[in-house]
Amino acid sequence: MTAISGSAAAVTGAASGIGRALALELAARGCDLALADRDEAGLQAVAAEIGKGPRKVSVHRVDVGEPHQIAEFAAAATSAHPALNILINNAGVALLGQFNEIEQAQMEWLININFWGVVHATRAFLPHLSGRPAAHIVNLSSIFGIVAPPGQTAYCAAKFAVRGFSESLRHELAIANSSVRLSVVHPGGVLTNIVRNSRTGAGIADNARRAQSIERFDAMAKTTPAAAAQRIILGIEKNQPRILIGGDARFMDLLQRFRPATYWAVLQRRIEKMANAGK
Ligand SMILES: NC(=O)c1ccc[n+]([C@@H]2O[C@H](COP(=O)([O-])OP(=O)(O)OC[C@H]3O[C@@H](n4cnc5c(N)ncnc54)[C@H](O)[C@@H]3O)[C@@H](O)[C@H]2O)c1
C-alpha cells in the first residue's frame, strides 16, 4: 500500500481537468508535488490554488511530446523532491474526425503525446522510483483503451497501447519483485476541457461538427474531475491494477467482455437513446 500523506508525486497535464484535480486532492492529503504541463500559466494558477501550505510544490513547463523535455523534468523533479515516489502520466489530447478526415501527421501528433509521452516519462522516472521503498506509476488510458467507438482511431490506438504497455510492464515489475507498482486508469466521460482543447481533423471543413461534439461530450460526461481524482487516489492507496472510473466505464467494460466483437451495436443503440432523451 502506498500512503499518500508524506509521498511526493509527479503529475503531467496538471494545469487542467483530471490532472488539476489530482494536484489539488493530493496536496490536500499531504503529498508534495512536481506539476508538469505545457500550459505554464495554467500550472501557476493551480500552484496558487494549492497555496502556501506545508506542501512543497514545484512547477515545470514540459511538453510530453518532447523526450528531452521529459528527461529534464525527471531530473528537476527528483532533485526538487528526492523522496519522489509517485508518477502520474496524465497529460493527453484528443483529435476530432474519422480516419479519412485526419492526416497522418495529426495521428502521429496524438500518439506522440498520448502514448510515447507515457513511455518516455516511465523510462525517465523508473530508475529513481525503483530506488524508493514503495513507489507507484499511474498511467491514464481511457475506456477507449477497452472499447473502440468510431471517430477515435488515433485516440483508441494510443489508449489501447498505453494499456498493453502498462500491463506488460506491471507484470515485469512483479516478477522482478520491484517496489514499484503500476495502475492503469480507464475513465469514462469526465467533464473536462479535453474536447474543447482538441484539434480538428484536416478534412473537417465545418465548425458545426466541432460545436456538436463539444455539446455531446458535455451532455454525456457524468463524472467530475474531483471525483475522478479521488477514485485514482483510492486506486493508488489500494494498489489496484485497473482503475475504472464512472458507471459508463464499468458498463462498457462489462459489455466488452460479454460481446467482445459486437459491443458497438449495443453501445450505438444506447447512445442514440440517450441523445433522444436529451432532446
Ligand atoms: N475527460 C475524459 O472524459 C477522459 C476520459 C478518459 C481518459 N481521459 C484522459 O485523462 C487525461 C487527462 O485529460 P483531461 O480530460 O483532464 O483533459 P484536459 O484537456 O482538461 O487536460 C489535459 C492537460 O494535459 C495538458 N497537455 C496536453 N498535451 C500536453 C503536452 N504535449 N505536454 C504537456 N502537457 C500537455 C494540457 O495542457 C492540459 O492541461 C488524458 O490522458 C485523457 O486522455 C480523459
Side-chain angles (χ1 to χ4, degrees):
M1 218 185 106
T2 305
I4 298 301
S5 179
S7 281
V11 183
T12 69
S16 169
I18 299 171
R20 172 181 167 276
L22 275 167
L24 297 176
E25 192 68 36
L26 286 166
R29 297 195 195 193
C31 184
D32 288 347
L33 293 164
L35 304 178
D37 205 291
R38 63 179 175 195
D39 170 7
E40 196 165 10
L43 274 183
Q44 295 295 355
V46 173
E49 247 183 289
I50 293 169
K52 290 223 176 313
R55 303 276 49 93
K56 181 173 181 181
V57 179
S58 59
V59 296
H60 309 258
R61 211 209 72 80
V62 181
D63 182 342
V64 301
E66 299 287 343
H68 72 276
Q69 290 192 24
I70 294 182
E72 284 164 17
F73 168 48
T78 53
S79 130
H81 308 271
L84 192 140
N85 62 331
I86 299 173
L87 167 66
I88 307 184
N89 283 310
N90 165 77
V93 289
L95 177 58
L96 174 67
Q98 307 225 343
F99 181 58
N100 62 355
E101 298 169 321
I102 60 175
E103 284 177 346
Q104 182 63 21
Q106 294 188 301
M107 201 161 180
E108 287 176 12
W109 164 78
L110 182 144
I111 289 175
N112 193 40
I113 294 168
N114 288 11
F115 176 59
W116 287 116
V118 172
V119 175
H120 286 302
T122 301
R123 199 180 283 289
F125 278 90
L126 195 51
H128 177 87
L129 295 175
S130 301
R132 305 296 310 146
H136 210 108
I137 297 173
V138 179
N139 289 341
L140 268 283
S141 173
S142 166
I143 192 57
F144 294 168
I146 292 175
V147 297
Q152 300 288 347
T153 51
Y155 192 82
C156 286
K159 294 300 188 181
F160 273 68
V162 166
R163 172 180 157 206
F165 164 72
S166 304
E167 290 186 5
S168 178
L169 179 60
R170 182 195 315 122
H171 301 148
E172 288 182 11
L173 293 167
I175 288 169
N177 242 338
S178 170
S179 60
V180 183
R181 284 85 174 249
L182 193 150
S183 300
V184 197
V185 185
H186 299 280
V190 181
L191 197 50
T192 70
N193 282 324
I194 190 158
V195 179
R196 263 184 195 81
N197 292 339
S198 68
R199 287 192 180 174
T200 303
I204 298 177
D206 66 312
N207 271 336
R209 277 270 295 285
R210 187 174 176 80
Q212 194 186 40
S213 79
I214 293 170
E215 199 182 312
R216 188 175 266 215
F217 176 78
D218 286 354
M220 306 250 292
K222 299 288 180 215
T223 304
T224 63
Q230 284 159 12
R231 183 65 192 82
I232 292 169
I233 292 169
L234 182 71
I236 298 172
E237 288 172 328
K238 293 192 157 180
N239 187 25
Q240 291 173 338
R242 173 180 282 197
I243 301 170
L244 287 164
I245 299 181
D248 51 351
R250 287 192 296 276
F251 170 75
M252 286 187 251
D253 172 55
L254 270 180
L255 177 63
Q256 197 283 336
R257 290 185 227 197
F258 286 116
R259 301 197 45 181
T262 54
Y263 58 79
W264 176 241
V266 179
L267 275 182
Q268 193 175 18
R269 278 200 298 278
R270 195 178 157 104
I271 290 166
E272 275 163 13
K273 218 164 141 189
M274 283 169 77
N276 288 335
K279 273 180 191 162

